[in-house]
Amino acid sequence: MFQIAIRTSCTALLLLLMPALVWLSGWLWSPGMSDNILRPFYAITETVSAPWGTLTNIILCAWFLWCLRYRLKPAIVLVLLLSMAVLIGQGVKSYVKQQVQEPRPYVQWLAKTQGLDVAKFYEQKRKARGLQVRQQLDNMEDKAEIPHWLGNSWQKDTDFAFPSGHTMFAATWALLGVGLLWPRRHYKTIALLIVWATAVMGSRLLLGMHWPRDLMAAVAISWVLITLSCWLAQKLCGPFAPPVQEQQEIQTREPE
């Protein structure tokens, strides 16, 4: 348990670095960034959004099982634990959002520039909020300021900001990678997951969806859940360290 906690803690601190620096810099989202920059980040954020997030979850579950080489019964238990960790994180996110009720950056911007009443906006149902966002964007004098695809994305994400569910999803998998795959030296997978999670977090900032503190809170919640989940997985499925017959193979192969 101690080794797992050390690994996940170091990774959580690494994930916190980017939003912490953005927060300390005083940077605030505003429209006008080049479409050539925003488009790739939108593609990254879509890997966590419905319906693509489900596909990402399935692919990562399958890859983790291959990396860990579990037998059928432990594999089923591990898949259930991995899926539960992601789902519980999303449930915690939804509960906290309702308690904190923090508006998203783009909602604050619409309030400042278009006279949107934030309190009344969030009193409406999700569909009505999406329609109001569309109306606000249609009434803008400079419609080119907000790309059409970004406006469509805003219409889908009209709930509260704190904490970031997209960040929680990506950070959960990055932390799971460190917790489960480190003993088998799958370092490239771990590095890719950390880079991907950081890119997802950056996309949420650049698309006007979240504040830096939303990302930081999401990483902290994920860290708690994943540290406990990895410990439980080890208890139920056995140690993550490879059996003796695999040790020589792991020592001689290239990482990943």
Tab-separated table of all heavy atoms in Angstrom, residues 200-253:
chain	number	residue	atom	x	y	z
A	200	VAL	N	-5.608	16.817	-21.852
A	200	VAL	CA	-7.051	16.946	-21.592
A	200	VAL	C	-7.301	18.126	-20.662
A	200	VAL	O	-8.217	18.944	-20.893
A	200	VAL	CB	-7.614	15.642	-20.983
A	200	VAL	CG1	-9.039	15.868	-20.457
A	200	VAL	CG2	-7.616	14.520	-22.009
A	201	MET	N	-6.487	18.236	-19.620
A	201	MET	CA	-6.645	19.349	-18.680
A	201	MET	C	-6.435	20.688	-19.385
A	201	MET	O	-7.205	21.640	-19.178
A	201	MET	CB	-5.649	19.175	-17.528
A	201	MET	CG	-5.927	17.958	-16.663
A	201	MET	SD	-4.518	17.455	-15.653
A	201	MET	CE	-4.393	18.834	-14.536
A	202	GLY	N	-5.399	20.755	-20.228
A	202	GLY	CA	-5.152	21.993	-20.959
A	202	GLY	C	-6.296	22.342	-21.893
A	202	GLY	O	-6.653	23.518	-22.048
A	203	SER	N	-6.893	21.313	-22.510
A	203	SER	CA	-8.013	21.559	-23.423
A	203	SER	C	-9.201	22.171	-22.698
A	203	SER	O	-9.902	23.026	-23.250
A	203	SER	CB	-8.430	20.260	-24.118
A	203	SER	OG	-9.122	19.382	-23.239
A	204	ARG	N	-9.427	21.764	-21.464
A	204	ARG	CA	-10.564	22.298	-20.710
A	204	ARG	C	-10.371	23.773	-20.379
A	204	ARG	O	-11.332	24.545	-20.306
A	204	ARG	CB	-10.778	21.489	-19.425
A	204	ARG	CG	-10.948	20.003	-19.640
A	204	ARG	CD	-11.990	19.692	-20.697
A	204	ARG	NE	-13.339	19.913	-20.220
A	204	ARG	CZ	-14.406	19.961	-20.997
A	204	ARG	NH1	-14.282	19.839	-22.307
A	204	ARG	NH2	-15.604	20.150	-20.486
A	205	LEU	N	-9.123	24.169	-20.186
A	205	LEU	CA	-8.833	25.580	-19.942
A	205	LEU	C	-8.986	26.398	-21.221
A	205	LEU	O	-9.644	27.442	-21.234
A	205	LEU	CB	-7.408	25.735	-19.406
A	205	LEU	CG	-7.102	25.150	-18.029
A	205	LEU	CD1	-5.613	25.302	-17.715
A	205	LEU	CD2	-7.936	25.820	-16.943
A	206	LEU	N	-8.405	25.915	-22.310
A	206	LEU	CA	-8.378	26.688	-23.556
A	206	LEU	C	-9.742	26.789	-24.225
A	206	LEU	O	-9.998	27.735	-24.975
A	206	LEU	CB	-7.378	26.057	-24.531
A	206	LEU	CG	-5.908	26.108	-24.102
A	206	LEU	CD1	-5.032	25.399	-25.121
A	206	LEU	CD2	-5.445	27.550	-23.914
A	207	LEU	N	-10.632	25.815	-23.949
A	207	LEU	CA	-11.967	25.843	-24.547
A	207	LEU	C	-12.977	26.621	-23.703
A	207	LEU	O	-14.158	26.676	-24.039
A	207	LEU	CB	-12.476	24.422	-24.780
A	207	LEU	CG	-11.652	23.574	-25.757
A	207	LEU	CD1	-12.186	22.143	-25.809
A	207	LEU	CD2	-11.649	24.198	-27.147
A	208	GLY	N	-12.521	27.212	-22.612
A	208	GLY	CA	-13.404	28.021	-21.776
A	208	GLY	C	-14.330	27.226	-20.885
A	208	GLY	O	-15.356	27.740	-20.425
A	209	MET	N	-13.981	25.974	-20.614
A	209	MET	CA	-14.852	25.093	-19.840
A	209	MET	C	-14.553	25.103	-18.347
A	209	MET	O	-15.437	24.827	-17.534
A	209	MET	CB	-14.735	23.655	-20.356
A	209	MET	CG	-15.188	23.478	-21.788
A	209	MET	SD	-16.961	23.777	-21.964
A	209	MET	CE	-17.223	23.221	-23.646
A	210	HIS	N	-13.294	25.376	-17.982
A	210	HIS	CA	-12.923	25.242	-16.568
A	210	HIS	C	-11.895	26.272	-16.144
A	210	HIS	O	-11.140	26.810	-16.964
A	210	HIS	CB	-12.353	23.838	-16.301
A	210	HIS	CG	-13.394	22.764	-16.272
A	210	HIS	ND1	-14.283	22.623	-15.230
A	210	HIS	CD2	-13.698	21.795	-17.157
A	210	HIS	CE1	-15.082	21.602	-15.479
A	210	HIS	NE2	-14.750	21.092	-16.642
A	211	TRP	N	-11.853	26.486	-14.846
A	211	TRP	CA	-10.833	27.279	-14.179
A	211	TRP	C	-9.734	26.328	-13.687
A	211	TRP	O	-10.000	25.137	-13.486
A	211	TRP	CB	-11.425	28.033	-12.987
A	211	TRP	CG	-12.708	28.735	-13.264
A	211	TRP	CD1	-13.963	28.241	-13.070
A	211	TRP	CD2	-12.883	30.053	-13.782
A	211	TRP	NE1	-14.915	29.165	-13.443
A	211	TRP	CE2	-14.282	30.285	-13.878
A	211	TRP	CE3	-12.000	31.061	-14.174
A	211	TRP	CZ2	-14.799	31.482	-14.352
A	211	TRP	CZ3	-12.520	32.257	-14.645
A	211	TRP	CH2	-13.900	32.467	-14.721
A	212	PRO	N	-8.513	26.826	-13.472
A	212	PRO	CA	-7.435	25.946	-12.990
A	212	PRO	C	-7.780	25.193	-11.706
A	212	PRO	O	-7.426	24.027	-11.550
A	212	PRO	CB	-6.270	26.921	-12.768
A	212	PRO	CG	-6.515	28.023	-13.749
A	212	PRO	CD	-8.004	28.184	-13.786
A	213	ARG	N	-8.502	25.838	-10.790
A	213	ARG	CA	-8.835	25.162	-9.525
A	213	ARG	C	-9.771	23.969	-9.745
A	213	ARG	O	-9.755	23.020	-8.947
A	213	ARG	CB	-9.466	26.149	-8.542
A	213	ARG	CG	-10.721	26.857	-9.037
A	213	ARG	CD	-11.252	27.856	-8.025
A	213	ARG	NE	-12.364	28.643	-8.548
A	213	ARG	CZ	-12.240	29.808	-9.163
A	213	ARG	NH1	-11.021	30.311	-9.372
A	213	ARG	NH2	-13.296	30.476	-9.592
A	214	ASP	N	-10.565	24.007	-10.809
A	214	ASP	CA	-11.433	22.865	-11.123
A	214	ASP	C	-10.595	21.636	-11.452
A	214	ASP	O	-10.925	20.514	-11.057
A	214	ASP	CB	-12.332	23.183	-12.326
A	214	ASP	CG	-13.156	24.439	-12.135
A	214	ASP	OD1	-13.363	24.843	-10.987
A	214	ASP	OD2	-13.584	25.019	-13.153
A	215	LEU	N	-9.517	21.853	-12.202
A	215	LEU	CA	-8.630	20.758	-12.580
A	215	LEU	C	-7.895	20.215	-11.360
A	215	LEU	O	-7.747	18.998	-11.190
A	215	LEU	CB	-7.615	21.225	-13.624
A	215	LEU	CG	-8.147	22.034	-14.819
A	215	LEU	CD1	-7.008	22.321	-15.800
A	215	LEU	CD2	-9.275	21.309	-15.516
A	216	MET	N	-7.436	21.116	-10.508
A	216	MET	CA	-6.675	20.709	-9.324
A	216	MET	C	-7.537	19.890	-8.372
A	216	MET	O	-7.094	18.870	-7.817
A	216	MET	CB	-6.103	21.943	-8.636
A	216	MET	CG	-5.096	22.700	-9.500
A	216	MET	SD	-4.627	24.314	-8.820
A	216	MET	CE	-3.659	23.799	-7.408
A	217	ALA	N	-8.771	20.297	-8.194
A	217	ALA	CA	-9.678	19.544	-7.321
A	217	ALA	C	-9.959	18.163	-7.894
A	217	ALA	O	-10.012	17.166	-7.168
A	217	ALA	CB	-10.986	20.312	-7.138
A	218	ALA	N	-10.110	18.084	-9.222
A	218	ALA	CA	-10.383	16.807	-9.871
A	218	ALA	C	-9.214	15.843	-9.697
A	218	ALA	O	-9.407	14.649	-9.432
A	218	ALA	CB	-10.662	17.027	-11.359
A	219	VAL	N	-7.994	16.341	-9.834
A	219	VAL	CA	-6.808	15.495	-9.643
A	219	VAL	C	-6.751	14.992	-8.202
A	219	VAL	O	-6.447	13.813	-7.954
A	219	VAL	CB	-5.521	16.267	-9.994
A	219	VAL	CG1	-4.285	15.475	-9.581
A	219	VAL	CG2	-5.474	16.571	-11.491
A	220	ALA	N	-7.044	15.868	-7.236
A	220	ALA	CA	-7.001	15.471	-5.826
A	220	ALA	C	-8.023	14.372	-5.519
A	220	ALA	O	-7.715	13.393	-4.827
A	220	ALA	CB	-7.247	16.689	-4.932
A	221	ILE	N	-9.233	14.519	-6.041
A	221	ILE	CA	-10.264	13.501	-5.817
A	221	ILE	C	-9.851	12.186	-6.473
A	221	ILE	O	-9.993	11.110	-5.879
A	221	ILE	CB	-11.622	13.981	-6.374
A	221	ILE	CG1	-12.127	15.194	-5.585
A	221	ILE	CG2	-12.658	12.854	-6.315
A	221	ILE	CD1	-13.341	15.872	-6.201
A	222	SER	N	-9.324	12.264	-7.691
A	222	SER	CA	-8.883	11.058	-8.393
A	222	SER	C	-7.772	10.354	-7.619
A	222	SER	O	-7.726	9.125	-7.557
A	222	SER	CB	-8.391	11.414	-9.802
A	222	SER	OG	-9.442	11.889	-10.595
A	223	TRP	N	-6.864	11.136	-7.057
A	223	TRP	CA	-5.749	10.549	-6.301
A	223	TRP	C	-6.261	9.718	-5.131
A	223	TRP	O	-5.809	8.590	-4.909
A	223	TRP	CB	-4.827	11.651	-5.795
A	223	TRP	CG	-3.787	11.140	-4.851
A	223	TRP	CD1	-2.664	10.418	-5.166
A	223	TRP	CD2	-3.790	11.282	-3.424
A	223	TRP	NE1	-1.968	10.100	-4.023
A	223	TRP	CE2	-2.634	10.614	-2.942
A	223	TRP	CE3	-4.643	11.906	-2.515
A	223	TRP	CZ2	-2.329	10.565	-1.584
A	223	TRP	CZ3	-4.333	11.853	-1.166
A	223	TRP	CH2	-3.188	11.188	-0.713
A	224	VAL	N	-7.223	10.243	-4.391
A	224	VAL	CA	-7.779	9.502	-3.253
A	224	VAL	C	-8.443	8.208	-3.733
A	224	VAL	O	-8.193	7.121	-3.198
A	224	VAL	CB	-8.794	10.367	-2.484
A	224	VAL	CG1	-9.501	9.539	-1.402
A	224	VAL	CG2	-8.106	11.570	-1.844
A	225	LEU	N	-9.281	8.323	-4.759
A	225	LEU	CA	-10.018	7.154	-5.254
A	225	LEU	C	-9.087	6.084	-5.815
A	225	LEU	O	-9.265	4.886	-5.554
A	225	LEU	CB	-11.014	7.586	-6.332
A	225	LEU	CG	-12.222	8.397	-5.859
A	225	LEU	CD1	-13.023	8.878	-7.057
A	225	LEU	CD2	-13.110	7.569	-4.942
A	226	ILE	N	-8.083	6.497	-6.569
A	226	ILE	CA	-7.215	5.526	-7.227
A	226	ILE	C	-6.247	4.878	-6.250
A	226	ILE	O	-5.943	3.684	-6.365
A	226	ILE	CB	-6.450	6.180	-8.398
A	226	ILE	CG1	-7.439	6.630	-9.449
A	226	ILE	CG2	-5.442	5.216	-8.998
A	226	ILE	CD1	-8.502	5.614	-9.823
A	227	THR	N	-5.765	5.610	-5.293
A	227	THR	CA	-4.899	5.002	-4.281
A	227	THR	C	-5.648	3.895	-3.549
A	227	THR	O	-5.123	2.792	-3.337
A	227	THR	CB	-4.404	6.067	-3.286
A	227	THR	OG1	-3.679	7.084	-3.995
A	227	THR	CG2	-3.474	5.441	-2.248
A	228	LEU	N	-6.895	4.149	-3.186
A	228	LEU	CA	-7.710	3.125	-2.519
A	228	LEU	C	-8.065	1.987	-3.473
A	228	LEU	O	-8.045	0.811	-3.084
A	228	LEU	CB	-8.989	3.774	-1.970
A	228	LEU	CG	-8.799	4.781	-0.829
A	228	LEU	CD1	-10.128	5.430	-0.460
A	228	LEU	CD2	-8.195	4.099	0.401
A	229	SER	N	-8.373	2.324	-4.742
A	229	SER	CA	-8.746	1.290	-5.715
A	229	SER	C	-7.581	0.350	-6.009
A	229	SER	O	-7.763	-0.870	-6.126
A	229	SER	CB	-9.221	1.946	-7.018
A	229	SER	OG	-10.386	2.700	-6.810
A	230	CYS	N	-6.380	0.900	-6.151
A	230	CYS	CA	-5.206	0.061	-6.412
A	230	CYS	C	-4.918	-0.858	-5.236
A	230	CYS	O	-4.558	-2.029	-5.419
A	230	CYS	CB	-3.991	0.935	-6.711
A	230	CYS	SG	-4.039	1.742	-8.323
A	231	TRP	N	-5.080	-0.330	-4.039
A	231	TRP	CA	-4.887	-1.165	-2.844
A	231	TRP	C	-5.912	-2.296	-2.806
A	231	TRP	O	-5.565	-3.454	-2.534
A	231	TRP	CB	-5.015	-0.306	-1.595
A	231	TRP	CG	-5.015	-1.104	-0.321
A	231	TRP	CD1	-3.940	-1.662	0.306
A	231	TRP	CD2	-6.158	-1.452	0.471
A	231	TRP	NE1	-4.337	-2.333	1.443
A	231	TRP	CE2	-5.694	-2.217	1.565
A	231	TRP	CE3	-7.524	-1.186	0.364
A	231	TRP	CZ2	-6.553	-2.721	2.538
A	231	TRP	CZ3	-8.373	-1.677	1.337
A	231	TRP	CH2	-7.891	-2.434	2.391
A	232	LEU	N	-7.171	-1.979	-3.126
A	232	LEU	CA	-8.216	-2.999	-3.135
A	232	LEU	C	-7.973	-4.024	-4.242
A	232	LEU	O	-8.154	-5.239	-4.036
A	232	LEU	CB	-9.579	-2.331	-3.340
A	232	LEU	CG	-10.814	-3.246	-3.285
A	232	LEU	CD1	-10.889	-3.967	-1.952
A	232	LEU	CD2	-12.084	-2.440	-3.529
A	233	ALA	N	-7.533	-3.561	-5.417
A	233	ALA	CA	-7.238	-4.475	-6.520
A	233	ALA	C	-6.122	-5.437	-6.146
A	233	ALA	O	-6.160	-6.628	-6.474
A	233	ALA	CB	-6.852	-3.679	-7.764
A	234	GLN	N	-5.118	-4.935	-5.439
A	234	GLN	CA	-4.011	-5.790	-4.999
A	234	GLN	C	-4.484	-6.839	-4.007
A	234	GLN	O	-4.037	-7.990	-4.030
A	234	GLN	CB	-2.910	-4.922	-4.387
A	234	GLN	CG	-1.587	-5.645	-4.177
A	234	GLN	CD	-0.516	-4.705	-3.709
A	234	GLN	OE1	-0.674	-3.997	-2.712
A	234	GLN	NE2	0.595	-4.658	-4.423
A	235	LYS	N	-5.403	-6.442	-3.148
A	235	LYS	CA	-5.942	-7.384	-2.163
A	235	LYS	C	-6.765	-8.486	-2.835
A	235	LYS	O	-6.684	-9.661	-2.464
A	235	LYS	CB	-6.821	-6.635	-1.150
A	235	LYS	CG	-6.051	-5.778	-0.149
A	235	LYS	CD	-5.296	-6.647	0.825
A	235	LYS	CE	-4.619	-5.790	1.898
A	235	LYS	NZ	-3.833	-6.630	2.842
A	236	LEU	N	-7.572	-8.112	-3.815
A	236	LEU	CA	-8.489	-9.068	-4.442
A	236	LEU	C	-7.859	-9.862	-5.570
A	236	LEU	O	-8.214	-11.021	-5.797
A	236	LEU	CB	-9.728	-8.326	-4.968
A	236	LEU	CG	-10.607	-7.634	-3.917
A	236	LEU	CD1	-11.745	-6.891	-4.594
A	236	LEU	CD2	-11.154	-8.646	-2.914
A	237	CYS	N	-6.938	-9.234	-6.319
A	237	CYS	CA	-6.376	-9.872	-7.520
A	237	CYS	C	-4.955	-10.374	-7.335
A	237	CYS	O	-4.403	-11.003	-8.231
A	237	CYS	CB	-6.413	-8.898	-8.695
A	237	CYS	SG	-8.054	-8.278	-9.082
A	238	GLY	N	-4.347	-10.057	-6.212
A	238	GLY	CA	-2.974	-10.473	-6.006
A	238	GLY	C	-2.012	-9.345	-6.308
A	238	GLY	O	-2.401	-8.290	-6.824
A	239	PRO	N	-0.717	-9.540	-6.010
A	239	PRO	CA	0.280	-8.487	-6.207
A	239	PRO	C	0.448	-8.121	-7.670
A	239	PRO	O	0.258	-8.946	-8.557
A	239	PRO	CB	1.568	-9.110	-5.636
A	239	PRO	CG	1.338	-10.583	-5.725
A	239	PRO	CD	-0.133	-10.784	-5.494
A	240	PHE	N	0.785	-6.853	-7.918
A	240	PHE	CA	0.980	-6.385	-9.278
A	240	PHE	C	2.355	-6.771	-9.821
A	240	PHE	O	2.585	-6.734	-11.019
A	240	PHE	CB	0.827	-4.861	-9.350
A	240	PHE	CG	-0.501	-4.384	-8.850
A	240	PHE	CD1	-0.597	-3.256	-8.060
A	240	PHE	CD2	-1.656	-5.074	-9.159
A	240	PHE	CE1	-1.820	-2.818	-7.597
A	240	PHE	CE2	-2.888	-4.640	-8.703
A	240	PHE	CZ	-2.966	-3.515	-7.910
A	241	ALA	N	3.276	-7.125	-8.919
A	241	ALA	CA	4.594	-7.558	-9.365
A	241	ALA	C	4.442	-8.844	-10.171
A	241	ALA	O	3.622	-9.704	-9.834
A	241	ALA	CB	5.499	-7.791	-8.164
A	242	PRO	N	5.190	-9.002	-11.253
A	242	PRO	CA	5.050	-10.181	-12.114
A	242	PRO	C	5.529	-11.447	-11.425
A	242	PRO	O	6.386	-11.393	-10.547
A	242	PRO	CB	5.937	-9.841	-13.312
A	242	PRO	CG	6.943	-8.881	-12.776
A	242	PRO	CD	6.223	-8.077	-11.745
A	243	PRO	N	4.985	-12.603	-11.815
A	243	PRO	CA	5.465	-13.862	-11.271
A	243	PRO	C	6.908	-14.106	-11.678
A	243	PRO	O	7.426	-13.479	-12.601
A	243	PRO	CB	4.507	-14.904	-11.881
A	243	PRO	CG	3.945	-14.244	-13.079
A	243	PRO	CD	3.894	-12.791	-12.775
A	244	VAL	N	7.534	-15.083	-11.012
A	244	VAL	CA	8.962	-15.337	-11.216
A	244	VAL	C	9.285	-15.613	-12.672
A	244	VAL	O	10.277	-15.122	-13.217
A	244	VAL	CB	9.414	-16.518	-10.333
A	244	VAL	CG1	10.877	-16.843	-10.601
A	244	VAL	CG2	9.197	-16.194	-8.868
A	245	GLN	N	8.435	-16.388	-13.359
A	245	GLN	CA	8.722	-16.764	-14.738
A	245	GLN	C	8.723	-15.588	-15.700
A	245	GLN	O	9.246	-15.672	-16.803
A	245	GLN	CB	7.743	-17.837	-15.231
A	245	GLN	CG	6.283	-17.438	-15.193
A	245	GLN	CD	5.599	-17.825	-13.893
A	245	GLN	OE1	6.267	-17.889	-12.856
A	245	GLN	NE2	4.301	-18.100	-13.949
A	246	GLU	N	8.102	-14.460	-15.293
A	246	GLU	CA	8.081	-13.278	-16.171
A	246	GLU	C	9.188	-12.287	-15.844
A	246	GLU	O	9.429	-11.352	-16.601
A	246	GLU	CB	6.733	-12.556	-16.058
A	246	GLU	CG	5.577	-13.281	-16.727
A	246	GLU	CD	4.318	-12.434	-16.716
A	246	GLU	OE1	4.429	-11.206	-16.877
A	246	GLU	OE2	3.229	-12.997	-16.536
A	247	GLN	N	9.859	-12.460	-14.716
A	247	GLN	CA	10.855	-11.494	-14.290
A	247	GLN	C	11.970	-11.324	-15.314
A	247	GLN	O	12.352	-10.201	-15.650
A	247	GLN	CB	11.466	-11.936	-12.945
A	247	GLN	CG	10.548	-11.779	-11.753
A	247	GLN	CD	10.454	-10.333	-11.288
A	247	GLN	OE1	11.049	-9.432	-11.874
A	247	GLN	NE2	9.690	-10.115	-10.232
A	248	GLN	N	12.473	-12.448	-15.829
A	248	GLN	CA	13.583	-12.355	-16.766
A	248	GLN	C	13.168	-11.659	-18.055
A	248	GLN	O	13.898	-10.844	-18.611
A	248	GLN	CB	14.105	-13.763	-17.082
A	248	GLN	CG	15.376	-13.746	-17.933
A	248	GLN	CD	15.926	-15.142	-18.104
A	248	GLN	OE1	15.372	-16.120	-17.605
A	248	GLN	NE2	17.051	-15.245	-18.822
A	249	GLU	N	11.932	-11.950	-18.522
A	249	GLU	CA	11.440	-11.311	-19.732
A	249	GLU	C	11.340	-9.813	-19.557
A	249	GLU	O	11.732	-9.029	-20.423
A	249	GLU	CB	10.063	-11.889	-20.097
A	249	GLU	CG	9.404	-11.188	-21.274
A	249	GLU	CD	7.911	-11.426	-21.339
A	249	GLU	OE1	7.405	-12.338	-20.654
A	249	GLU	OE2	7.250	-10.677	-22.082
A	250	ILE	N	10.808	-9.369	-18.418
A	250	ILE	CA	10.621	-7.940	-18.159
A	250	ILE	C	11.944	-7.222	-18.042
A	250	ILE	O	12.115	-6.098	-18.507
A	250	ILE	CB	9.767	-7.743	-16.883
A	250	ILE	CG1	8.346	-8.231	-17.141
A	250	ILE	CG2	9.755	-6.293	-16.457
A	250	ILE	CD1	7.470	-8.212	-15.918
A	251	GLN	N	12.934	-7.893	-17.441
A	251	GLN	CA	14.245	-7.262	-17.251
A	251	GLN	C	14.986	-7.082	-18.570
A	251	GLN	O	15.774	-6.153	-18.731
A	251	GLN	CB	15.078	-8.104	-16.294
A	251	GLN	CG	14.576	-8.046	-14.858
A	251	GLN	CD	15.304	-9.029	-13.950
A	251	GLN	OE1	16.194	-9.749	-14.375
A	251	GLN	NE2	14.916	-9.054	-12.684
A	252	THR	N	14.715	-7.961	-19.541
A	252	THR	CA	15.456	-7.906	-20.804
A	252	THR	C	14.751	-7.118	-21.890
A	252	THR	O	15.393	-6.649	-22.826
A	252	THR	CB	15.707	-9.331	-21.336
A	252	THR	OG1	14.454	-9.997	-21.481
A	252	THR	CG2	16.595	-10.116	-20.370
A	253	ARG	N	13.426	-6.945	-21.771
A	253	ARG	CA	12.721	-6.255	-22.851
A	253	ARG	C	12.842	-4.754	-22.702
A	253	ARG	O	13.092	-4.233	-21.620
A	253	ARG	CB	11.240	-6.649	-22.859
A	253	ARG	CG	10.397	-5.974	-21.783
A	253	ARG	CD	8.983	-6.466	-21.801
A	253	ARG	NE	8.203	-5.822	-20.752
A	253	ARG	CZ	7.179	-6.381	-20.149
A	253	ARG	NH1	6.812	-7.607	-20.454
A	253	ARG	NH2	6.501	-5.722	-19.228
